[in-house]
Short mmCIF file of all heavy atoms in Angstrom, two decimals:
data_model
loop_
_atom_site.label_atom_id
_atom_site.label_comp_id
_atom_site.label_asym_id
_atom_site.label_seq_id
_atom_site.Cartn_x
_atom_site.Cartn_y
_atom_site.Cartn_z
N MET A 1 48.31 117.10 27.35
CA MET A 1 47.12 116.28 27.35
C MET A 1 45.99 117.04 26.67
O MET A 1 45.72 118.19 26.97
CB MET A 1 46.73 115.94 28.78
CG MET A 1 45.55 115.03 28.88
SD MET A 1 45.45 114.37 30.54
CE MET A 1 43.74 114.54 30.81
N ALA A 2 45.35 116.39 25.73
CA ALA A 2 44.26 117.00 24.99
C ALA A 2 43.03 117.13 25.88
O ALA A 2 42.87 116.41 26.87
CB ALA A 2 43.93 116.17 23.77
N LEU A 3 42.15 118.04 25.52
CA LEU A 3 40.93 118.26 26.29
C LEU A 3 40.10 116.98 26.38
O LEU A 3 39.66 116.58 27.45
CB LEU A 3 40.12 119.38 25.67
CG LEU A 3 38.83 119.74 26.40
CD1 LEU A 3 39.13 120.18 27.83
CD2 LEU A 3 38.09 120.82 25.66
N PHE A 4 39.90 116.32 25.27
CA PHE A 4 39.15 115.07 25.25
C PHE A 4 40.10 113.94 24.88
O PHE A 4 40.13 113.45 23.76
CB PHE A 4 37.97 115.15 24.30
CG PHE A 4 36.97 116.19 24.72
CD1 PHE A 4 36.67 117.25 23.90
CD2 PHE A 4 36.35 116.11 25.95
CE1 PHE A 4 35.75 118.21 24.29
CE2 PHE A 4 35.43 117.06 26.36
CZ PHE A 4 35.13 118.12 25.52
N ASP A 5 40.88 113.53 25.83
CA ASP A 5 41.93 112.53 25.67
C ASP A 5 41.32 111.13 25.57
O ASP A 5 40.61 110.70 26.48
CB ASP A 5 42.88 112.62 26.85
CG ASP A 5 44.10 111.75 26.71
OD1 ASP A 5 44.39 111.31 25.59
OD2 ASP A 5 44.76 111.51 27.73
N PRO A 6 41.60 110.39 24.49
CA PRO A 6 41.05 109.03 24.37
C PRO A 6 41.57 108.08 25.44
O PRO A 6 40.94 107.08 25.76
CB PRO A 6 41.48 108.58 22.98
CG PRO A 6 42.61 109.46 22.61
CD PRO A 6 42.41 110.75 23.33
N GLU A 7 42.71 108.40 26.04
CA GLU A 7 43.26 107.54 27.09
C GLU A 7 42.41 107.59 28.36
O GLU A 7 42.41 106.65 29.13
CB GLU A 7 44.71 107.94 27.41
CG GLU A 7 45.65 107.78 26.24
CD GLU A 7 45.63 106.40 25.61
OE1 GLU A 7 45.62 105.39 26.35
OE2 GLU A 7 45.61 106.33 24.38
N PHE A 8 41.69 108.70 28.57
CA PHE A 8 40.79 108.76 29.72
C PHE A 8 39.71 107.69 29.58
O PHE A 8 39.44 106.95 30.52
CB PHE A 8 40.14 110.14 29.85
CG PHE A 8 39.12 110.21 30.94
CD1 PHE A 8 39.52 110.33 32.27
CD2 PHE A 8 37.76 110.12 30.67
CE1 PHE A 8 38.58 110.36 33.29
CE2 PHE A 8 36.83 110.16 31.68
CZ PHE A 8 37.23 110.28 33.00
N CYS A 9 39.10 107.59 28.42
CA CYS A 9 38.08 106.57 28.18
C CYS A 9 38.68 105.18 28.28
O CYS A 9 38.08 104.27 28.84
CB CYS A 9 37.44 106.76 26.81
SG CYS A 9 36.14 105.58 26.42
N GLU A 10 39.87 105.02 27.77
CA GLU A 10 40.52 103.71 27.74
C GLU A 10 40.91 103.21 29.12
O GLU A 10 40.76 102.03 29.42
CB GLU A 10 41.76 103.80 26.84
CG GLU A 10 42.50 102.51 26.67
CD GLU A 10 41.73 101.45 25.94
OE1 GLU A 10 40.87 101.78 25.10
OE2 GLU A 10 41.98 100.27 26.21
N GLN A 11 41.40 104.09 30.00
CA GLN A 11 41.99 103.63 31.25
C GLN A 11 41.34 104.14 32.52
O GLN A 11 41.46 103.50 33.56
CB GLN A 11 43.47 104.03 31.29
CG GLN A 11 44.25 103.42 30.18
CD GLN A 11 45.68 103.94 30.12
OE1 GLN A 11 46.06 104.83 30.88
NE2 GLN A 11 46.46 103.40 29.21
N LYS A 12 40.65 105.29 32.49
CA LYS A 12 40.21 105.91 33.74
C LYS A 12 38.71 106.15 33.86
O LYS A 12 38.24 106.42 34.96
CB LYS A 12 40.92 107.24 33.93
CG LYS A 12 42.42 107.08 34.05
CD LYS A 12 43.10 108.41 34.17
CE LYS A 12 44.60 108.22 34.19
NZ LYS A 12 45.31 109.47 34.11
N CYS A 13 37.96 106.10 32.79
CA CYS A 13 36.53 106.41 32.85
C CYS A 13 35.82 105.39 33.75
O CYS A 13 35.90 104.18 33.51
CB CYS A 13 35.92 106.39 31.45
SG CYS A 13 34.14 106.70 31.47
N PRO A 14 35.12 105.85 34.78
CA PRO A 14 34.48 104.92 35.70
C PRO A 14 33.36 104.10 35.07
O PRO A 14 33.09 102.98 35.52
CB PRO A 14 33.94 105.82 36.82
CG PRO A 14 33.88 107.18 36.23
CD PRO A 14 34.91 107.25 35.16
N ILE A 15 32.73 104.60 34.04
CA ILE A 15 31.66 103.85 33.37
C ILE A 15 32.23 102.93 32.31
O ILE A 15 31.97 101.73 32.30
CB ILE A 15 30.63 104.81 32.74
CG1 ILE A 15 30.01 105.72 33.80
CG2 ILE A 15 29.56 104.03 31.99
CD1 ILE A 15 29.24 105.02 34.88
N CYS A 16 33.02 103.47 31.39
CA CYS A 16 33.51 102.69 30.25
C CYS A 16 34.40 101.53 30.66
O CYS A 16 34.27 100.43 30.13
CB CYS A 16 34.24 103.59 29.26
SG CYS A 16 33.13 104.75 28.42
N THR A 17 35.31 101.77 31.58
CA THR A 17 36.22 100.69 31.97
C THR A 17 35.46 99.55 32.63
O THR A 17 35.73 98.38 32.37
CB THR A 17 37.32 101.20 32.91
OG1 THR A 17 36.73 101.85 34.04
CG2 THR A 17 38.25 102.16 32.20
N ARG A 18 34.49 99.87 33.46
CA ARG A 18 33.69 98.82 34.10
C ARG A 18 32.78 98.12 33.10
O ARG A 18 32.60 96.91 33.16
CB ARG A 18 32.87 99.42 35.23
CG ARG A 18 33.71 99.77 36.44
CD ARG A 18 32.84 100.36 37.54
NE ARG A 18 33.62 100.59 38.73
CZ ARG A 18 34.05 101.79 39.12
NH1 ARG A 18 33.78 102.86 38.40
NH2 ARG A 18 34.76 101.91 40.22
N ALA A 19 32.21 98.88 32.17
CA ALA A 19 31.33 98.28 31.16
C ALA A 19 32.09 97.30 30.28
O ALA A 19 31.59 96.22 29.96
CB ALA A 19 30.68 99.36 30.32
N ARG A 20 33.30 97.65 29.90
CA ARG A 20 34.10 96.74 29.07
C ARG A 20 34.51 95.49 29.84
O ARG A 20 34.76 94.45 29.25
CB ARG A 20 35.33 97.46 28.52
CG ARG A 20 34.98 98.43 27.40
CD ARG A 20 36.20 98.94 26.68
NE ARG A 20 37.06 99.75 27.49
CZ ARG A 20 37.01 101.08 27.56
NH1 ARG A 20 36.09 101.74 26.89
NH2 ARG A 20 37.86 101.75 28.31
N ARG A 21 34.57 95.58 31.17
CA ARG A 21 34.88 94.40 32.00
C ARG A 21 33.65 93.54 32.27
O ARG A 21 33.78 92.47 32.83
CB ARG A 21 35.50 94.82 33.33
CG ARG A 21 36.97 95.16 33.20
CD ARG A 21 37.59 95.35 34.56
NE ARG A 21 37.48 96.78 34.86
CZ ARG A 21 37.29 97.30 36.06
NH1 ARG A 21 37.18 96.54 37.11
NH2 ARG A 21 37.21 98.60 36.23
N GLY A 22 32.46 94.04 31.90
CA GLY A 22 31.27 93.23 32.04
C GLY A 22 30.37 93.56 33.21
O GLY A 22 29.44 92.81 33.51
N VAL A 23 30.59 94.68 33.89
CA VAL A 23 29.73 95.09 35.00
C VAL A 23 28.39 95.53 34.42
O VAL A 23 28.34 96.47 33.63
CB VAL A 23 30.39 96.21 35.84
CG1 VAL A 23 29.48 96.65 36.96
CG2 VAL A 23 31.74 95.75 36.36
N ARG A 24 27.32 94.85 34.82
CA ARG A 24 26.02 95.04 34.17
C ARG A 24 25.45 96.45 34.32
O ARG A 24 24.90 97.00 33.37
CB ARG A 24 25.04 94.00 34.66
CG ARG A 24 25.47 92.60 34.22
CD ARG A 24 24.55 91.50 34.65
NE ARG A 24 23.29 91.39 33.97
CZ ARG A 24 23.11 91.01 32.72
NH1 ARG A 24 24.14 90.73 31.97
NH2 ARG A 24 21.90 90.91 32.21
N TRP A 25 25.55 97.06 35.50
CA TRP A 25 24.99 98.41 35.66
C TRP A 25 25.75 99.42 34.81
O TRP A 25 25.16 100.35 34.27
CB TRP A 25 24.95 98.83 37.13
CG TRP A 25 26.30 98.98 37.79
CD1 TRP A 25 26.95 98.04 38.53
CD2 TRP A 25 27.16 100.12 37.75
NE1 TRP A 25 28.16 98.53 38.95
CE2 TRP A 25 28.31 99.81 38.50
CE3 TRP A 25 27.07 101.38 37.17
CZ2 TRP A 25 29.36 100.70 38.67
CZ3 TRP A 25 28.12 102.27 37.34
CH2 TRP A 25 29.24 101.92 38.09
N ALA A 26 27.04 99.22 34.67
CA ALA A 26 27.85 100.13 33.84
C ALA A 26 27.52 99.93 32.37
O ALA A 26 27.47 100.89 31.60
CB ALA A 26 29.33 99.91 34.10
N GLN A 27 27.27 98.69 31.96
CA GLN A 27 26.88 98.42 30.57
C GLN A 27 25.55 99.10 30.26
O GLN A 27 25.38 99.68 29.19
CB GLN A 27 26.78 96.92 30.32
CG GLN A 27 28.11 96.22 30.30
CD GLN A 27 27.98 94.72 30.17
OE1 GLN A 27 26.99 94.12 30.61
NE2 GLN A 27 29.00 94.09 29.59
N PHE A 28 24.61 99.05 31.21
CA PHE A 28 23.32 99.70 31.02
C PHE A 28 23.49 101.21 30.86
O PHE A 28 22.97 101.81 29.92
CB PHE A 28 22.38 99.39 32.20
CG PHE A 28 21.10 100.16 32.15
CD1 PHE A 28 20.09 99.78 31.28
CD2 PHE A 28 20.92 101.27 32.95
CE1 PHE A 28 18.91 100.50 31.22
CE2 PHE A 28 19.74 102.00 32.90
CZ PHE A 28 18.74 101.61 32.03
N LEU A 29 24.25 101.83 31.78
CA LEU A 29 24.47 103.27 31.70
C LEU A 29 25.19 103.66 30.41
O LEU A 29 24.86 104.67 29.79
CB LEU A 29 25.29 103.75 32.90
CG LEU A 29 24.57 103.79 34.23
CD1 LEU A 29 25.52 104.21 35.34
CD2 LEU A 29 23.38 104.73 34.18
N GLN A 30 26.14 102.84 30.00
CA GLN A 30 26.88 103.14 28.77
C GLN A 30 25.96 103.04 27.55
O GLN A 30 26.03 103.88 26.66
CB GLN A 30 28.06 102.20 28.63
CG GLN A 30 28.98 102.57 27.50
CD GLN A 30 30.16 101.64 27.39
OE1 GLN A 30 29.97 100.43 27.33
NE2 GLN A 30 31.35 102.19 27.39
N ARG A 31 25.08 102.03 27.52
CA ARG A 31 24.13 101.92 26.40
C ARG A 31 23.22 103.13 26.32
O ARG A 31 22.95 103.65 25.24
CB ARG A 31 23.31 100.64 26.52
CG ARG A 31 23.98 99.49 25.82
CD ARG A 31 23.10 98.26 25.82
NE ARG A 31 23.73 97.38 26.81
CZ ARG A 31 23.11 96.73 27.77
NH1 ARG A 31 21.82 96.79 27.87
NH2 ARG A 31 23.76 96.00 28.62
N VAL A 32 22.73 103.59 27.47
CA VAL A 32 21.89 104.79 27.51
C VAL A 32 22.67 105.99 27.00
O VAL A 32 22.17 106.77 26.18
CB VAL A 32 21.36 105.03 28.95
CG1 VAL A 32 20.69 106.39 29.05
CG2 VAL A 32 20.40 103.92 29.35
N GLU A 33 23.90 106.14 27.47
CA GLU A 33 24.74 107.25 27.03
C GLU A 33 24.97 107.21 25.52
O GLU A 33 24.89 108.23 24.84
CB GLU A 33 26.07 107.20 27.76
CG GLU A 33 27.01 108.31 27.35
CD GLU A 33 28.37 108.16 27.99
OE1 GLU A 33 28.94 107.05 27.97
OE2 GLU A 33 28.88 109.19 28.49
N LEU A 34 25.26 106.03 24.99
CA LEU A 34 25.51 105.90 23.55
C LEU A 34 24.27 106.28 22.74
O LEU A 34 24.38 106.89 21.67
CB LEU A 34 25.96 104.49 23.21
CG LEU A 34 27.37 104.11 23.66
CD1 LEU A 34 27.61 102.61 23.51
CD2 LEU A 34 28.41 104.89 22.89
N LEU A 35 23.09 105.92 23.24
CA LEU A 35 21.85 106.27 22.53
C LEU A 35 21.54 107.76 22.61
O LEU A 35 21.17 108.37 21.62
CB LEU A 35 20.68 105.47 23.09
CG LEU A 35 20.68 103.98 22.77
CD1 LEU A 35 19.59 103.28 23.56
CD2 LEU A 35 20.49 103.76 21.28
N VAL A 36 21.70 108.33 23.79
CA VAL A 36 21.35 109.73 24.00
C VAL A 36 22.31 110.67 23.28
O VAL A 36 21.89 111.68 22.71
CB VAL A 36 21.30 110.05 25.52
CG1 VAL A 36 21.18 111.53 25.78
CG2 VAL A 36 20.16 109.29 26.17
N THR A 37 23.60 110.33 23.28
CA THR A 37 24.60 111.24 22.70
C THR A 37 24.99 110.87 21.27
O THR A 37 25.89 111.50 20.71
CB THR A 37 25.87 111.26 23.57
OG1 THR A 37 26.42 109.94 23.60
CG2 THR A 37 25.58 111.74 24.97
N PHE A 38 24.35 109.85 20.70
CA PHE A 38 24.64 109.42 19.33
C PHE A 38 26.10 109.06 19.13
O PHE A 38 26.76 109.55 18.23
CB PHE A 38 24.21 110.48 18.31
CG PHE A 38 22.76 110.84 18.39
CD1 PHE A 38 22.36 112.04 18.94
CD2 PHE A 38 21.80 109.95 17.95
CE1 PHE A 38 21.03 112.36 19.03
CE2 PHE A 38 20.46 110.26 18.04
CZ PHE A 38 20.07 111.48 18.57
N GLY A 39 26.64 108.22 20.02
CA GLY A 39 28.00 107.75 19.82
C GLY A 39 28.90 107.85 21.04
O GLY A 39 30.06 107.47 20.97
N GLY A 40 28.40 108.36 22.13
CA GLY A 40 29.20 108.40 23.34
C GLY A 40 29.67 109.79 23.71
O GLY A 40 29.49 110.75 22.97
N CYS A 41 30.28 109.86 24.86
CA CYS A 41 30.80 111.13 25.36
C CYS A 41 31.99 111.57 24.49
O CYS A 41 32.49 110.79 23.67
CB CYS A 41 31.22 110.96 26.82
SG CYS A 41 32.63 109.85 27.04
N PRO A 42 32.46 112.79 24.67
CA PRO A 42 33.61 113.25 23.86
C PRO A 42 34.84 112.37 24.00
O PRO A 42 35.59 112.19 23.04
CB PRO A 42 33.87 114.66 24.39
CG PRO A 42 32.56 115.09 24.97
CD PRO A 42 31.91 113.85 25.50
N TRP A 43 35.08 111.80 25.19
CA TRP A 43 36.24 110.94 25.38
C TRP A 43 36.06 109.62 24.64
O TRP A 43 37.00 109.10 24.07
CB TRP A 43 36.46 110.68 26.87
CG TRP A 43 36.78 111.94 27.60
CD1 TRP A 43 38.00 112.54 27.69
CD2 TRP A 43 35.87 112.77 28.28
NE1 TRP A 43 37.89 113.70 28.43
CE2 TRP A 43 36.59 113.86 28.80
CE3 TRP A 43 34.49 112.71 28.53
CZ2 TRP A 43 35.98 114.88 29.54
CZ3 TRP A 43 33.90 113.72 29.27
CH2 TRP A 43 34.64 114.78 29.77
N GLY A 44 34.84 109.10 24.64
CA GLY A 44 34.55 107.88 23.90
C GLY A 44 34.66 108.08 22.40
O GLY A 44 35.15 107.21 21.68
N ARG A 45 34.22 109.23 21.91
CA ARG A 45 34.36 109.52 20.48
C ARG A 45 35.82 109.70 20.10
O ARG A 45 36.25 109.28 19.03
CB ARG A 45 33.53 110.76 20.12
CG ARG A 45 32.04 110.48 20.15
CD ARG A 45 31.23 111.59 19.51
NE ARG A 45 31.39 112.88 20.17
CZ ARG A 45 30.60 113.35 21.11
NH1 ARG A 45 29.57 112.64 21.53
NH2 ARG A 45 30.81 114.53 21.63
N ALA A 46 36.61 110.31 21.00
CA ALA A 46 38.05 110.45 20.74
C ALA A 46 38.72 109.08 20.71
O ALA A 46 39.60 108.83 19.89
CB ALA A 46 38.70 111.34 21.81
N ARG A 47 38.27 108.18 21.58
CA ARG A 47 38.81 106.81 21.60
C ARG A 47 38.49 106.11 20.28
O ARG A 47 39.32 105.43 19.70
CB ARG A 47 38.22 106.03 22.77
CG ARG A 47 38.71 104.60 22.85
CD ARG A 47 38.05 103.91 24.05
NE ARG A 47 38.55 102.57 24.23
CZ ARG A 47 37.98 101.48 23.73
NH1 ARG A 47 36.87 101.59 23.03
NH2 ARG A 47 38.49 100.30 23.93
N LYS A 48 37.26 106.30 19.80
CA LYS A 48 36.87 105.66 18.53
C LYS A 48 37.70 106.23 17.38
O LYS A 48 38.11 105.48 16.49
CB LYS A 48 35.39 105.86 18.25
CG LYS A 48 34.95 105.16 17.00
CD LYS A 48 33.47 105.21 16.79
CE LYS A 48 33.12 104.43 15.54
NZ LYS A 48 31.69 104.37 15.33
N GLN A 49 37.95 107.52 17.40
CA GLN A 49 38.74 108.13 16.34
C GLN A 49 40.18 107.62 16.38
O GLN A 49 40.78 107.35 15.34
CB GLN A 49 38.71 109.65 16.47
CG GLN A 49 39.41 110.36 15.35
CD GLN A 49 39.28 111.87 15.49
OE1 GLN A 49 38.96 112.40 16.55
NE2 GLN A 49 39.54 112.58 14.41
N LYS A 50 40.76 107.48 17.57
CA LYS A 50 42.16 107.05 17.69
C LYS A 50 42.34 105.56 17.43
O LYS A 50 43.23 105.15 16.71
CB LYS A 50 42.71 107.40 19.07
CG LYS A 50 44.17 107.01 19.24
CD LYS A 50 44.73 107.47 20.56
CE LYS A 50 46.19 107.07 20.69
NZ LYS A 50 46.77 107.53 21.95
N TYR A 51 41.50 104.73 18.06
CA TYR A 51 41.68 103.28 17.99
C TYR A 51 40.74 102.58 17.00
O TYR A 51 40.91 101.41 16.74
CB TYR A 51 41.47 102.66 19.37
CG TYR A 51 42.47 103.13 20.40
CD1 TYR A 51 42.06 103.87 21.50
CD2 TYR A 51 43.83 102.87 20.27
CE1 TYR A 51 42.96 104.30 22.45
CE2 TYR A 51 44.74 103.30 21.21
CZ TYR A 51 44.30 104.02 22.29
OH TYR A 51 45.19 104.46 23.23
N GLY A 52 39.71 103.30 16.53
CA GLY A 52 38.77 102.69 15.60
C GLY A 52 37.79 101.74 16.28
O GLY A 52 37.20 100.89 15.62
N VAL A 53 37.65 101.88 17.60
CA VAL A 53 36.79 100.99 18.37
C VAL A 53 35.85 101.85 19.22
O VAL A 53 36.32 102.76 19.91
CB VAL A 53 37.64 100.09 19.30
CG1 VAL A 53 36.76 99.15 20.09
CG2 VAL A 53 38.66 99.31 18.50
N PRO A 54 34.54 101.59 19.20
CA PRO A 54 33.62 102.37 20.02
C PRO A 54 33.89 102.15 21.51
O PRO A 54 34.52 101.16 21.89
CB PRO A 54 32.24 101.87 19.62
CG PRO A 54 32.45 100.58 18.94
CD PRO A 54 33.84 100.58 18.40
N PRO A 55 33.39 103.03 22.37
CA PRO A 55 33.68 102.94 23.80
C PRO A 55 33.17 101.66 24.46
O PRO A 55 33.68 101.27 25.50
CB PRO A 55 32.99 104.15 24.42
CG PRO A 55 32.36 104.90 23.34
CD PRO A 55 32.61 104.21 22.05
N ASP A 56 32.21 100.99 23.86
CA ASP A 56 31.66 99.78 24.49
C ASP A 56 32.35 98.50 24.04
O ASP A 56 31.98 97.42 24.48
CB ASP A 56 30.16 99.68 24.23
CG ASP A 56 29.81 99.66 22.76
OD1 ASP A 56 30.60 100.16 21.94
OD2 ASP A 56 28.74 99.14 22.42
N LYS A 57 33.35 98.60 23.20
CA LYS A 57 34.07 97.41 22.71
C LYS A 57 35.52 97.43 23.18
O LYS A 57 36.13 98.48 23.32
CB LYS A 57 34.07 97.36 21.17
CG LYS A 57 32.70 97.43 20.55
CD LYS A 57 31.93 96.17 20.79
CE LYS A 57 30.60 96.27 20.05
NZ LYS A 57 29.57 95.49 20.62
N GLU A 58 36.07 96.25 23.38
CA GLU A 58 37.49 96.11 23.75
C GLU A 58 38.37 96.31 22.53
O GLU A 58 38.00 95.94 21.42
CB GLU A 58 37.76 94.70 24.31
CG GLU A 58 37.26 94.48 25.70
CD GLU A 58 38.11 95.15 26.76
OE1 GLU A 58 39.30 95.45 26.51
OE2 GLU A 58 37.58 95.37 27.84
N LYS A 59 39.55 96.86 22.76
CA LYS A 59 40.55 96.93 21.69
C LYS A 59 41.10 95.53 21.50
O LYS A 59 41.29 94.79 22.45
CB LYS A 59 41.72 97.83 22.06
CG LYS A 59 41.45 99.27 22.01
CD LYS A 59 42.69 100.11 22.20
CE LYS A 59 43.72 99.55 23.13
NZ LYS A 59 44.85 100.41 23.41
N THR A 60 41.38 95.17 20.27
CA THR A 60 42.04 93.89 20.02
C THR A 60 43.49 94.18 19.72
O THR A 60 43.83 95.10 18.99
CB THR A 60 41.40 93.15 18.83
OG1 THR A 60 41.46 93.99 17.68
CG2 THR A 60 39.97 92.79 19.13
N VAL A 61 44.33 93.38 20.32
CA VAL A 61 45.77 93.54 20.12
C VAL A 61 46.19 92.48 19.11
O VAL A 61 46.02 91.28 19.35
CB VAL A 61 46.53 93.37 21.44
CG1 VAL A 61 48.02 93.48 21.21
CG2 VAL A 61 46.05 94.38 22.46
N GLU A 62 46.71 92.92 17.99
CA GLU A 62 47.15 91.98 16.97
C GLU A 62 48.63 91.72 17.17
O GLU A 62 49.45 92.64 17.18
CB GLU A 62 46.89 92.55 15.59
CG GLU A 62 45.41 92.68 15.29
CD GLU A 62 45.19 93.15 13.86
OE1 GLU A 62 46.10 92.97 13.03
OE2 GLU A 62 44.12 93.69 13.60
N LEU A 63 48.95 90.47 17.34
CA LEU A 63 50.34 90.08 17.49
C LEU A 63 50.94 89.80 16.12
O LEU A 63 50.25 89.27 15.24
CB LEU A 63 50.45 88.82 18.37
CG LEU A 63 49.90 88.96 19.78
CD1 LEU A 63 49.93 87.63 20.48
CD2 LEU A 63 50.69 89.99 20.56
N PRO A 64 52.19 90.14 15.93
CA PRO A 64 52.81 89.86 14.64
C PRO A 64 52.89 88.35 14.40
O PRO A 64 53.18 87.59 15.31
CB PRO A 64 54.20 90.48 14.74
CG PRO A 64 54.42 90.74 16.18
CD PRO A 64 53.10 90.80 16.85
N SER A 65 52.60 87.96 13.20
CA SER A 65 52.65 86.52 12.89
C SER A 65 54.08 86.10 12.57
O SER A 65 54.87 86.85 12.00
CB SER A 65 51.73 86.21 11.72
OG SER A 65 52.18 86.91 10.58
N ARG A 66 54.37 84.90 12.92
CA ARG A 66 55.70 84.35 12.62
C ARG A 66 55.60 83.51 11.37
O ARG A 66 54.71 82.68 11.23
CB ARG A 66 56.18 83.50 13.78
CG ARG A 66 56.32 84.30 15.04
CD ARG A 66 57.56 83.95 15.69
NE ARG A 66 57.78 84.88 16.79
CZ ARG A 66 58.92 85.02 17.36
NH1 ARG A 66 59.94 84.30 16.98
NH2 ARG A 66 59.07 85.86 18.33
N ILE A 67 56.52 83.70 10.50
CA ILE A 67 56.52 82.93 9.24
C ILE A 67 57.62 81.92 9.27
O ILE A 67 58.65 82.03 9.77
CB ILE A 67 56.67 83.89 8.02
CG1 ILE A 67 55.48 84.83 8.01
CG2 ILE A 67 56.78 83.10 6.77
CD1 ILE A 67 55.53 85.85 6.93
#
């Protein structure tokens, strides 16, 4: 496990997971964090690097199209 594992932000972070689900106090704290740290905590930045999505946005799952 890497020091700043993007999976922590994705599945276990008490702020990010709640903020992505729409909990208002968590969204507020996350916005403050994003402004103060210029992009989020190290786990959030690792998530953005791996998935291409900032910590405050949901990942989109693309399903293969049927032809």
Side-chain angles (χ1 to χ4, degrees):
M1 183 166 137
L3 181 60
F4 297 120
D5 187 17
E7 298 307 316
F8 175 78
C9 181
E10 182 66 28
Q11 299 173 356
K12 298 177 184 171
C13 178
I15 301 297
C16 292
T17 55
R18 287 180 175 103
R20 286 191 294 267
R21 280 189 268 146
V23 178
R24 294 181 73 70
W25 65 265
Q27 289 175 331
F28 173 77
L29 287 177
Q30 188 179 52
R31 270 185 254 133
V32 170
E33 179 186 47
L34 288 169
L35 289 171
V36 170
T37 61
F38 302 106
C41 66
W43 297 277
R45 288 192 299 266
R47 180 181 184 266
K48 183 174 182 176
Q49 185 177 17
K50 181 175 180 179
Y51 298 116
V53 181
D56 58 335
K57 306 290 184 206
E58 285 285 338
K59 285 188 326 186
T60 57
V61 178
E62 293 184 22
L63 300 174
S65 61
R66 299 224 171 196
I67 298 177

